[in-house]
Amino acid sequence: MARIIINHEKVKDIEEIVKICPFDAIEIVNDKLEINSGCKMCKLCVKKGPDGVFEFKEEKKVEINKDKWRGIAVYVDHHEGDIHPVTYELIGKAREMANKINHPIYCVFIGRNIKDRCDKLLSYGVDEVFVYDSEEFKDFRIEPYTKAAENFIHNVKPTIMLVGGTTVGRSLAPRLAARFKTGLTADCTILDIQENTDLDQIRPAFGGNIMAHIYTPNNRPQFATVRYKIFSAPEEVENPKGKVISCNIDKQELLSNINVLSTKPKTKEVGIEDSEVIIVASRAIKKQEDMDMIYKLADVLNAQVAGTRPLIESGWIDPRKQIGLSGRTVKPKLIITCGVSGAVQFVAGMQGADYIVSINQDEKAPIFDVAHLSLVGDIYEIVPKIIEKVEQSQLENVFTIEG
C-alpha cells in the first residue's frame, strides 16, 4: 500500500504549500498539514513541494508463492444435473491452457443426485471431478453453493477458476472472488496463460472502445467468467482416465437465509444462441414496417431475426434478440448483418460465426474487417435481390425433385 508522509519539521511556509495540490487534498488542521481523502497519489506534492517535506512510501506486498496453486478449475453450471453447454466450452479452453503449463483440469460439481452425470465431464479430458452431492444443494441458494466452492478452493488450490457467464455464474463468481480477496474479470472474450501461470484476461472496456488486458500476478486463484458461445466445445477424448472425488462438508456451514417455497419450470424457447442462421437488422432500417423485408429474408433462409441496440430501444425487436456485449453472444453457421456498422460491442457478440455476410453502404465500415463476404450497397436494394435469388433457387430445386 502506498502513502505520502509529511515531515512537519521541514515545513516553513505552510500557506504556500497548501496551494501545491490541484485536488485540494492538502489542508491545515490545528496548524499542521494533513492529507485528506481527496489525494490521487499523483505525487505532485513530492515533486513540486519544498525539499523533504513530502515523502512517498510504498509498502512492499508479500509475493505469493504460485507453486502452491496448481490446476485449472471449471465450475459446472447445471440445472438439476442437466449441464449447461458453456461448461464444456470452458473445459475446452481449460484443456488448451493446461497443456501449456502442464497442469491438471478440475471440475467443481455442486448439486443433488448428480454423481451419475460425471462421466460426461470426464469424457472431455477432465482429470478430477470434485462432487458436492447433498440435499442442501437441491435448489440453487447462493450461501451453500458459495461455501462448497470455497471449500474446494481451500482444499485443492487451483491457480485459475473459470465460471460460465450465466445467471448462476454471475452470482457465484463475485462472492468467491471477494472471499479470496482477488480479482474477477467478467465476460472475457480471450483467455490465455503465461508460463508462470498468470492468466491473460481480455475483454472489451469503456463501452467496447478498447480491449482491456487484465491480469492478477500476485493473487490466487484467478477468476474469470465467460459467456456461452465465446469458445468452442472440445472433442471428446478416447479412454478418459479422470476420476470422481466425493466431497463432504459440515452441514452447519451450509445453512441459508433463503427458503425455496416452490419452483416453476421456465418455458423453453429457441433463443438466437441456438440458431444456425441469423439475420441482423440495424438502424439502417428506416421504419418499423420495413422490418417485413428482414423477416421475409429470415423466412426463406429458415433463420432467426436479431437486432442491434438502437432497434431494441425502439421496441422493434424483442430485447432477448439483441446481439453484443449488452445482449447475447452467438455462434451460428451463417449470419447476415443488414446495415450494421460493426461497433466493437456488437462484433464481440458474433465474431465466432462460421460465415459472416455483411451489407453496408460504407465500404470502410468496421464490420467488413470481420466479414467473410462484404456487400457494399443499400440494404433496400440488396436484401430483396437475395430473397429473389433464394426463392428462385428453392423453386428450381422443387422442379428438379419433381422432374
Side-chain angles (χ1 to χ4, degrees), residues 141-267:
R141 292 176 298 165
I142 189 61
E143 305 106 306
Y145 269 68
T146 303
K147 194 63 185 179
E150 181 185 7
N151 177 267
F152 160 77
I153 294 171
H154 275 306
N155 293 334
V156 181
K157 294 189 179 302
T159 188
I160 295 169
M161 182 93 175
L162 302 180
V163 182
T166 63
T167 303
V168 169
R170 292 175 191 276
S171 176
L172 181 66
R175 285 174 176 259
L176 286 171
R179 292 194 182 191
F180 287 91
K181 294 181 173 59
T182 184
L184 164 65
T185 304
D187 293 340
C188 293
T189 55
I190 299 174
L191 291 176
D192 202 357
I193 196 163
Q194 301 175 24
E195 290 184 5
N196 65 355
T197 72
D198 284 352
L199 179 64
D200 292 305
Q201 304 155 82
I202 299 176
R203 73 177 304 278
F206 292 102
N209 294 313
I210 66 168
M211 298 299 286
H213 185 169
I214 303 165
Y215 67 105
T216 50
N218 201 39
N219 293 85
R220 292 297 185 269
Q222 302 162 94
F223 286 94
T225 64
V226 182
R227 291 187 185 190
Y228 176 40
K229 292 284 187 180
I230 290 293
F231 302 133
S232 299
E235 297 291 331
E236 295 188 44
V237 301
E238 294 183 6
N239 304 318
K241 299 178 180 179
K243 58 183 179 180
V244 177
I245 300 175
S246 295
C247 303
N248 296 314
I249 188 168
D250 189 342
K251 303 292 184 183
Q252 289 298 313
E253 296 189 56
L254 302 180
L255 297 178
S256 173
N257 292 316
I258 301 172
N259 291 319
V260 180
L261 301 180
S262 64
T263 59
K264 183 179 179 181
K266 186 177 179 181
T267 304

Side-chain angles (χ1 to χ4, degrees), residues 113-400:
N113 297 331
I114 55 174
K115 291 181 181 177
D116 60 343
R117 306 296 180 99
C118 295
D119 288 344
K120 184 67 174 176
L121 297 169
L122 295 175
S123 70
Y124 284 100
V126 174
D127 293 293
E128 294 177 313
V129 179
F130 292 82
V131 181
Y132 291 81
D133 194 331
S134 175
E135 183 67 27
E136 283 76 11
F137 303 125
K138 176 186 176 183
D139 299 300
F140 177 79
R141 292 176 298 165
I142 189 61
E143 305 106 306
Y145 269 68
T146 303
K147 194 63 185 179
E150 181 185 7
N151 177 267
F152 160 77
I153 294 171
H154 275 306
N155 293 334
V156 181
K157 294 189 179 302
T159 188
I160 295 169
M161 182 93 175
L162 302 180
V163 182
T166 63
T167 303
V168 169
R170 292 175 191 276
S171 176
L172 181 66
R175 285 174 176 259
L176 286 171
R179 292 194 182 191
F180 287 91
K181 294 181 173 59
T182 184
L184 164 65
T185 304
D187 293 340
C188 293
T189 55
I190 299 174
L191 291 176
D192 202 357
I193 196 163
Q194 301 175 24
E195 290 184 5
N196 65 355
T197 72
D198 284 352
L199 179 64
D200 292 305
Q201 304 155 82
I202 299 176
R203 73 177 304 278
F206 292 102
N209 294 313
I210 66 168
M211 298 299 286
H213 185 169
I214 303 165
Y215 67 105
T216 50
N218 201 39
N219 293 85
R220 292 297 185 269
Q222 302 162 94
F223 286 94
T225 64
V226 182
R227 291 187 185 190
Y228 176 40
K229 292 284 187 180
I230 290 293
F231 302 133
S232 299
E235 297 291 331
E236 295 188 44
V237 301
E238 294 183 6
N239 304 318
K241 299 178 180 179
K243 58 183 179 180
V244 177
I245 300 175
S246 295
C247 303
N248 296 314
I249 188 168
D250 189 342
K251 303 292 184 183
Q252 289 298 313
E253 296 189 56
L254 302 180
L255 297 178
S256 173
N257 292 316
I258 301 172
N259 291 319
V260 180
L261 301 180
S262 64
T263 59
K264 183 179 179 181
K266 186 177 179 181
T267 304
K268 199 163 186 178
E269 299 178 357
V270 179
I272 57 174
E273 303 99 323
D274 301 313
S275 181
E276 294 190 347
V277 183
I278 298 175
I279 313 298
V280 185
S282 71
R283 71 173 76 205
I285 302 296
K286 298 174 182 176
K287 54 183 185 293
Q288 189 169 2
E289 291 77 13
D290 295 342
M291 284 295 297
D292 291 343
M293 173 180 68
I294 302 298
Y295 281 109
K296 186 172 183 181
L297 176 59
D299 185 53
V300 298
L301 291 175
N302 192 27
Q304 283 207 49
V305 172
T308 57
R309 187 167 186 170
L311 266 68
I312 305 299
E313 292 176 345
S314 298
W316 295 2
I317 295 180
D318 190 313
R320 292 171 294 183
K321 305 291 185 180
Q322 180 182 342
I323 292 177
L325 291 179
S326 52
R328 307 297 171 98
T329 301
V330 297
K331 193 183 285 187
K333 291 182 178 178
L334 170 65
I335 187 168
I336 301 176
T337 66
C338 302
V340 177
S341 62
V344 176
Q345 301 97 316
F346 172 81
V347 172
M350 51 69 71
Q351 60 186 355
D354 290 349
Y355 200 82
I356 303 169
V357 177
S358 297
I359 308 168
N360 199 292
Q361 284 184 311
D362 182 6
E363 61 182 18
K364 296 182 180 179
I367 192 67
F368 290 148
D369 293 336
V370 296
H372 298 96
L373 176 62
S374 304
L375 303 177
V376 180
D378 189 343
I379 62 171
Y380 284 90
E381 296 177 3
I382 294 178
V383 171
K385 289 181 180 179
I386 295 176
I387 295 171
E388 183 182 346
K389 288 288 186 181
V390 174
E391 289 180 331
Q392 182 63 34
S393 175
Q394 291 173 342
L395 190 60
E396 290 174 356
N397 288 336
V398 170
F399 282 133
T400 300

